[in-house]
Amino acid sequence: MSVDYSQLEEIDGTRWTWHYWPSSRLDASRCVVPFGCLFTPLRPLPNMPAALPYPPVVSRDGAVLNPYCSVDFRARMWVCPFTFQRNQLPPHYAEMPEGQVPPELVPEYTVVEYRLTDRPPAPPPAFVFVLDTTVPAAQLEVAKEYVLKALALLPPDAVVGLITFGQNVHVHEIGFVEAAKSYVLRGNKNYDAAAVQTLLGLGFAATAAASGKAVTAAAGRSLHGHASGGLGTFLQPVSECEFMLTSILESMGRDPWPVAADERPKRCTGVALAVAGALLECTYAGYGAHICLLVGGPATAGPGMIVGSKLEDELRSHTDIEKDNAPLLKKATKHYDELATRLVNAGHSVSVWGCALDQVGFYEMKACVDRTGGVFIMAESFTHPMFKRSLEKFFERDAEGGGGGGYLRRHFVATVEVDCSRELAITGMIGPCASLQRKSAAVSADTEVGIGGTSAWRICSLDPDTTLGVFFEVINPHGNPIPDGHYRYVQFRTTYQHSSGEYRLRVATCAGRWGDGNDLALLSAGFDQEASAVLMARLAVYRTENEEAFDILRWLDRLLIRLCARFGEYQRDRPETFRLGATLSLYPQFMFHLRRSNLLQVFNTSPDESAYFRSHLARVPVSDALLMVQPSLIQYTLEQPPTPVLLDVASVRPEAILLLDAFFFVVVFCGDTIAQWRKAGYHLQHEFRNLAELLQAPRRDAEHFIEHRFPYPRYIETDQHGSQARFLLAKLNPSATHTTGHVDVLSGGVAGGGNTEFLYTDDVSMEVFLEHLKRAAVAAT
Amino acid sequence: MPSSGSGRLSSSDVPRPAALEEENAGKPRTVIASRFACGGRTLPDPVSLPLSTAEVVESYQVDMGNARPRYLRLTVGSIPHTPDLLRTCGVPLALVTAPFADRPDEPPVPVVSAEERGPQRCGRCKAYLNPGVLFVDAGRSFVCNLCHHWNAVDVERYVPLDAATGLPVDYQQRLELQYGSVEYVVPATDYCENERTATPALVLVLDARCIEVLTDSQWLSAEWLAAVAEQRLRLGFVLCGGSALRFYQVTAPGRIEERLVPDLNDAFAPMGADTLLQGEQLSQLQAAVAYAAGQTWMHAEGNAAGSSCVAGILAAADMLRGVGGGKVLAVCAALPGHPSEAYALRDRWQGGMDAGAAASGKPKSEVERERALLQAAAPAYRQLGTQLADAQVSVDLFLFAADAPGAPPMATPPPYFDVATVSQLPLACGGRVRYYPHSGDVAAVRRDLVQAVCSVRAFEAVLRVRSSPGISPEEHLGSFRPMTTGRKDVRLPVMHTDSTLAVAIAYDSGSGIAEHPVWGASATSGSGGAWRRSGLLGGNNNNSGEQASPAIAYVQVAVLFTCPTDGTRRVRVHTLAVPSTRLLNQVFRTIDASSVLCWVARHAARSLLQGAVWSNVRDSVVERCVEMLYVYRRYCASRSSSGQLILPEALKFFPLYVLGLLKSAALRAAATAPDERAYRLAAVLSGSVETVLATAHPRMMAVPGAAEGNAAVPLSRAPGGELPLGRPEEPDPADTYGMATNTTAAQRITVPDGDVRLPPTQPLSSERLRPETVWLIEDGWRCLVWVGEQAAAGASPMNGAATPYDGSFGHASVPLPPVMMERLFRERPGLLSPLQVHRHAPLEPLFHALLIEDRGGNAPSYVEFLVSVHKMVQKKIASSEAERQHRTMAEWDWAHTY
């Protein structure tokens, strides 16, 4: 039995770890891998009706009418599948002609979207660019150019603002044409929203934000005619301020403060971000707004600084953090954590575009990004395609919407509410979200996984790829069998501000089957090993980041052993008899690569890189996340069509080209022989056209991978034994190492093995890992 | 010696400076040659300056081995040898120094290049070489005249001595041995506190309400910016609005960048020192001003209560940090400070009124209230000044009541600035405060802005006074920052031509001024008599069988500074040699009344600003005068004139000055606006000798050609010509030097023509106010033109309100010769534009207040004052006689003293 789970994902945007759930709490706990799903709230689904123009029918408990409800049109009643309460239908449903059902009741339409036309539309989304001006002039030019490019990509009514920073923070007044006017705030001082409000002379919206009331849409879609200082002066629709913004950017030079030869430039990233946050908090609270921080180095001044300005002060490493030898870390993290809380409350998100060879402080800033639904982009410089292409991608628009170029793919201020049947409970969520602290009956009373204790989460900014990991537990007691024909239901209700300004509600209702807890064949048949691996990865990463002194690898091993012990077929204490079913067979591999991946290993990885990888893991869909855990490797040879090969050092062959896709980077790796052919220029000769074709094929495929990926991956072309080959080799299973063969010192290859590649590593190979696993599994009691 | 019986005193008999000036009217310029020869082997001339201030100002001063009085003067020309003698004569011993008071028509201070090795200095006291240093031991050593230390001369500096003169053979090249004032260019590495990256700069901090000061583009470019360019200064500009500081940068023609710093509580500069304008770029300021003046916020923020100038000053200082300090010119339209602070200070003003009224049921006595208001309300301003000084920043504060432009002057009371409090800021960092109570007097502000730029002579200055063994500098009075290290240096981040410091000098011990080790020894052995000039002492009293003291007292003022024009580090050294004397008479003969007045006035001003009791200060000033006259009367005057008031020649105007000081806005008993009083006190405390003198004794002069009555007054240049050195009546002392190498008896010098000579001053009494005359009177701040009824009958609309001189400040009904006004304004920085006063007009009391010889209110007239002084002297004599009879001669032998 083989199910293509990615097909199921196309139906409602969810990937469940288990499809058959044991009906009792006890049996469920023996399944090891948590019950849950990866849910992509705004995934474009082929089988979804156009957005419904009327308000949804909502039960007293908040559940929305869906195909799984039993509806009595005549009595104008419907029964909520979660609470079994009877609710009234609105009058016009009764008048519906026979045989015709409203779209939300059509069985195929388990996901429907409503346009909440009763809510006045929100103002267009705001984007505040926070630009670092301490980078080298050439880099700054490119950064400026790309800010301008972003303006061109934005719809004309989108609202933008500009803040630049170096030693101080400059808030540019873009609604003023006579001169380039900016407000300058100290870079070494922490300004709260009230201070920024007074200092910048911001207007009315701030008072509403401060009092915590929801902002009425008085701001409306037109930003003019209001006395609000901030909206007119610092934030303006692109169409109106483009000229001014362009001229400000064009004439803007580097931060003028002198930098000593042995110092880093003063860079008050933390304050700039806080000021941007406060500016939006005062003017745009409750509405979609996004802060784009473009930074080219570590924060060296003010709250949020991560390193002193002397070059001799080193940036913290993982070892420093472990040994508590990073004196600025706590303060900086606290600053960004507090800022994140404010941002979440106001519904605003932050993206950080860190373009530097050095670390810029992702590790400290991660709360600001991860909790608000923003993204980290890491590139070596502003001139690197990773920055440029990602930025273009970020501001991409969809085909929807009339007029100029559609709406932004990015939507705002989403609230995800989860409801479920009484037999299960929500334990938490891991993803780019923040808790809204809303308790409901569906919330697990005692278990918390990730961000838990609530049934509603806030995602300040999300795109169609934003994926949440949702965790459930079975709470049905052991002695309480569930009658046949009963299903488990989960409903996701995502209310969000569409980039058109409209408020929308997407309701996804999922039904699933219960199974006998002891019917292992049934349970494992419904096991989605990919989704499980990804969900486990998210959980492992979350626990690494949020739980102190925790040996995550041992924990993962233990779980894996328990899973194999439960679902494997074996005879006790005879490892050679161990077999895993087809649906589980890849799972140990995934775990093996997860253990080795940069998501969990910090060796040779800076704290910033770890934060970067982990942040993306927590927002991408299953397929992408899987590449992070276990990259795909495709082999191209003259003899065969492209074939996926094992992610193993044994796959490296001189006469083959390998294409590795590890999500963050894509490597095209030419075997020795092919590289020599190419160097000899054979591919340029007419008779060796097939070689030229062979050289082209992986490039073409790589381009295809890269094209739609966000963030734009690093693309590497290398030859066997080239310096860049390490990108590939680091990902390979070390089945052949310097310990397994004889090293021929003269040729550098392995004697006897001919041209086979090997790795200098002490890591265990997958074979050894699996051997150990088998032994442990069969020995388990 | 003018003296007459007290009963018969009439106004025409009393000594008046005016009479002296009238005498000098047609004469050529006086030459004041301060003489002293090298080696300390001869006695210097006891310096005695002409009694007429005008004559001193006009004079052509020549440095002949001694510092010119312009730079350094002592209250006495011959120093009392012992502290006892000083105590007896009651004269304060102090020096008054204005190290940069250069005059364009005089030879400049010679510059000595010592860039390589630094100047030669005493190894112990670090004094600089000067004409008083004695080279001995064939040139291998020199004896420091300021500590008597015997210094070995370095091998590479060794110069043999000329056997004939006993001077180094390169004496002719050694300017420091020839002149009392020299300027060394010193190596920047050794003579620098901090490593400097650039030369200091200038920042203009302007209250937005005062923007009209700059909006005259003609003035801005042709005068002010030209002055800045000429001084080769770099310029920054901060505009202080009510809610933010504004900084401008012109990135391209027509492209202005405006940066606002809204955080007034924690102000800083958003731009670095590299944005300071220089040379050609200065015209960018005009563009920025034109832009700013056209902005709407100007009108919106115009009514803010306080001024954010303090924040602006802090930001300016922040800007200057990058270049190692400099000058901040801050023009404020209201109480400078953060708005909340400004309210507090303003409340002080109103609170003083209301609380007083409430407590007693009737208003508190004005004088009492003033006393409270004269003390600084908050230490913050002084602290700020100190901080700025430590960052080598000096602030000039221009308090300009710009609130109601167009309103007639004096129509509304000026806004309250709390000068007493805010003036602490400039005074603590070597700056000045200027106060313009009349809205619309933009011209005065502009003049002073130009003056403040033109007069800058030194940055990052450290001043040190050294003196002979036996005496040492004590209390410094003026605008400066004392060094914290316990040394007696003072820091002056910026010095101007008129930066003046007064320093008290005290004796270290009862034995008085120490004898020179070589000089003194040879004197007692009698072998070195050849170079001694006997009989110089005492002059007219050769009765001295007592041993004539050969001691010479030296004071050396050294200022280490950065030259603004070329950025070099320099030391300007002024050395003054004064003979000491044991003769009371000699002391009195050489008193410099102006310096004494300057010291006394400064002392009084300091006490008042610190909250001293009003009447005590006034009494002590009078007492000081009476004491001196009493001593003179008692011990120096002939017995025959027992019933007369006897004034020593050098002090003959002193009672008038004291009376003037007591009647001036600074010290007068009558109620005065606290701001005005505080300002005058601050001006006295930091101003030049001339300023202090003008405060005590205003100048009244006829306006040439203004009316028929003034027709005869000439306005010409003071003639120079070929003049013999020294005052003509003195015998040429050159031959007695015993080394006629560089000064010959026949030496004559060419004296250039002086400045435009002002009309002679008039006695300050109303006796000459006739209907057909026009008079101008100024006291260093106010300038009033009194127009008689007939003089302006046709031209002036007698509207009561005064009409000023300057075009932008109304219309002049009588012509004031521009040449004269120009000279006046040049001479008196801070002088307001002239106000026209008519008889019986509301402003006339202002004018009469300045006529100090008249009786006014409770204050006595000059004659009455002299009479009362005389009575006090008599009383003292009587009481001392009575006392004397109680004592035996053995206990109380005055004769021993002299």
Side-chain angles (χ1 to χ4, degrees), chain B residues 41 51 131 144 158 162 165 220 236 239 255 283 315 329 394 404 454 464 484 509 535 546-547 556 594 610 827 829 884:
Chain B
R41 306 173 203 208
L51 287 177
C144 171
Y158 169 73
D162 185 329
T165 59
L220 187 61
L239 192 61
R255 263 204 69 90
S283 59
L329 305 174
S394 167
C454 289
R464 171 77 181 246
T484 46
S509 65
E546 42 101 27
Q547 75 191 80
Q556 188 176 65
S594 312
Q610 283 177 351
E827 201 171 297
R884 190 172 174 165

Side-chain angles (χ1 to χ4, degrees), chain B residues 187-270:
Chain B
T189 44
D190 303 346
Y191 286 81
C192 230
E193 249 180 288
N194 310 307
E195 201 177 316
R196 282 169 315 122
T197 47
T199 48
L202 181 75
V203 179
L204 176 64
V205 175
L206 188 77
D207 194 317
R209 276 164 287 178
C210 302
I211 191 89
E212 60 168 327
V213 171
L214 297 187
T215 44
D216 181 350
S217 61
Q218 174 64 26
W219 170 82
L220 187 61
S221 66
E223 296 191 37
W224 199 63
L225 292 179
V228 176
E230 192 172 324
Q231 288 275 23
R232 296 198 214 159
L233 289 172
R234 286 181 295 167
L235 177 69
F237 177 53
V238 184
L239 192 61
C240 304
S243 62
L245 305 178
R246 286 155 197 267
F247 298 76
Y248 298 91
Q249 202 177 355
V250 182
T251 47
R255 263 204 69 90
I256 291 170
E257 275 185 25
E258 182 179 13
R259 302 214 174 122
L260 287 84
V261 173
D263 193 353
L264 297 177
N265 290 321
D266 190 7
F268 64 98

Side-chain angles (χ1 to χ4, degrees), chain A residues 101 109 161 222 336 465 486 542:
Chain A
V101 285
Y109 296 163
S222 85
Y336 291 116
D465 286 332
H486 256 75
Y542 185 88

Side-chain angles (χ1 to χ4, degrees), chain A residues 336-408:
Chain A
Y336 291 116
D337 282 357
E338 285 168 1
L339 178 59
T341 308
R342 278 166 44 195
L343 288 166
V344 167
N345 287 342
H348 303 144
S349 55
V350 175
S351 287
V352 181
W353 308 71
C355 298
L357 289 168
D358 231 345
Q359 300 185 57
V360 303
F362 285 179
Y363 190 80
E364 285 82 356
M365 283 181 217
K366 65 187 175 207
C368 281
V369 172
D370 289 354
R371 289 172 59 196
T372 64
V375 286
F376 277 126
I377 302 295
M378 185 184 253
E380 283 161 17
S381 76
F382 287 111
T383 51
H384 198 279
M386 276 163 82
F387 164 71
K388 296 178 171 181
R389 300 281 292 271
S390 299
L391 192 110
E392 287 163 20
K393 193 88 192 147
F394 184 82
F395 289 102
E396 208 171 57
R397 289 192 254 170
D398 61 13
E400 203 189 334
Y407 298 120
L408 287 170

Side-chain angles (χ1 to χ4, degrees), chain A residues 69-91:
Chain A
C69 298
S70 57
V71 181
D72 184 346
F73 283 107
R74 216 163 300 148
R76 289 175 46 211
M77 298 302 272
W78 63 283
V79 180
C80 166
F82 306 109
T83 55
F84 303 109
Q85 270 182 329
R86 294 165 66 81
N87 295 282
Q88 285 219 313
L89 278 177

